Amino acid sequence: MTQNNCVVLQGLILSIHFSHETHGEKFRLIELSIERKSGVADVLNIIASEWLQGSDVKEGEYIKVKGEFRSRNVHTPERSRLELSVFATEITKFDSEFDYLFDRESENRIELDGYICKPPVLRKTPYGRVIADVLLAVNRTNGRSSYIPCVLWGRTAVYVSSFPVGSRLKLTGRIQSRKYNKKLTEEHTEVRTAYEVSVNELLQIAAKEDENNGDDV
């Protein structure tokens, strides 16, 4: 977990599947359900190495995950898509559901420090709420970047919509999942899942400060 990309999640394991293998290291895909205060659950994908201490968890168990929110481009014959998941660096299992419910202070929290890499898009929801879509590029230690979709609301959305590409932002929020219908043809639609960061705190880093603190990113 790096300083510019910190995730803490707590939730219920819905399923566990084999994900992939790299240089003999096997990774598992854990579907984690995290209930919001409204009762709606976000279902997020966790990638965990089988070598990671604490990764020997099972379906139906409650866990705390620390890690990074990462993206990768997946190319198929039909289309290319941005695949988002949390790369686990630490997993802790709760002894019981009671322990999980007692310790839900930071059940879904993310902190990011990155750069706007596309012009922000200001729009309104069907219910009339003003939101801004921002794609944030967050540097990784291996020289690559993760591209994280972020959503801002109300006056903050209007404020951020004027920021130019290359602006540096520090933000906190939660990772959310949502279903949407993708129209493929005139007769066919497909239900897909989008993952994004719902932002609740934001700080713009001035260019001069960015130059003085370049090592922080």
Side-chain angles (χ1 to χ4, degrees):
M1 186 164 58
T2 57
Q3 292 183 348
N4 63 336
N5 190 337
C6 303
V7 177
V8 179
L9 305 173
Q10 294 176 198
L12 173 67
I13 297 176
L14 298 181
S15 66
I16 302 176
H17 306 282
F18 173 77
S19 172
H20 63 281
E21 182 175 343
T22 303
H23 304 298
E25 184 177 7
K26 295 180 180 180
F27 292 84
R28 310 165 84 193
L29 172 63
I30 301 172
E31 269 194 322
L32 193 68
S33 176
I34 306 165
E35 189 173 334
R36 303 182 195 175
K37 293 181 180 179
S38 63
V40 176
D42 293 299
V43 179
L44 307 180
N45 294 322
I46 314 298
I47 301 296
S49 168
E50 291 188 350
W51 296 352
L52 180 66
Q53 185 176 1
S55 66
D56 56 338
V57 292
K58 301 178 179 63
E59 294 179 10
E61 293 182 332
Y62 290 91
I63 61 173
K64 175 184 284 188
V65 177
K66 294 183 179 180
E68 302 176 5
F69 199 28
R70 294 184 178 182
S71 71
R72 69 185 186 106
N73 284 313
V74 177
H75 302 284
T76 65
E78 295 79 18
R79 64 189 178 98
S80 296
R81 70 180 189 278
L82 193 67
E83 188 175 271
L84 292 149
S85 59
V86 173
F87 183 83
T89 57
E90 183 179 327
I91 295 179
T92 306
K93 183 170 65 174
F94 289 97
D95 292 330
S96 66
E97 182 179 358
F98 174 80
D99 291 335
Y100 159 74
L101 293 172
F102 187 75
D103 181 24
R104 295 178 65 179
E105 191 70 27
S106 58
E107 60 188 11
N108 187 341
R109 179 178 175 84
I110 182 170
E111 299 178 10
L112 295 174
D113 182 342
Y115 298 84
I116 296 176
C117 57
K118 289 176 62 176
V121 177
L122 190 67
R123 58 187 175 89
K124 284 187 176 181
T125 69
Y127 298 101
R129 295 188 67 185
V130 177
I131 65 176
D133 296 307
V134 174
L135 189 63
L136 202 68
V138 180
N139 294 335
R140 288 159 56 176
T141 54
N142 60 3
R144 300 179 182 178
S145 296
S146 288
Y147 298 92
I148 311 298
C150 301
V151 179
L152 302 101
W153 308 84
R155 294 172 58 191
T156 306
V158 176
Y159 174 60
V160 170
S161 67
S162 64
F163 288 6
V165 171
S167 298
R168 181 182 171 191
L169 302 180
K170 285 186 177 182
L171 56 86
T172 62
R174 62 177 174 81
I175 305 174
Q176 65 183 19
S177 64
R178 59 179 175 85
K179 302 288 186 181
Y180 68 98
N181 294 316
K182 175 67 175 181
K183 188 174 182 180
L184 304 178
T185 66
E186 289 297 326
E187 299 179 350
H188 297 91
T189 59
E190 181 179 87
V191 179
R192 295 180 180 175
T193 303
Y195 302 96
E196 59 204 4
V197 174
S198 179
V199 179
N200 53 39
E201 294 181 17
L202 173 72
L203 175 66
Q204 183 185 18
I205 306 300
K208 186 174 182 179
E209 182 180 348
D210 191 9
E211 290 176 4
N212 294 335
N213 297 281
D215 293 339
D216 292 339
V217 179

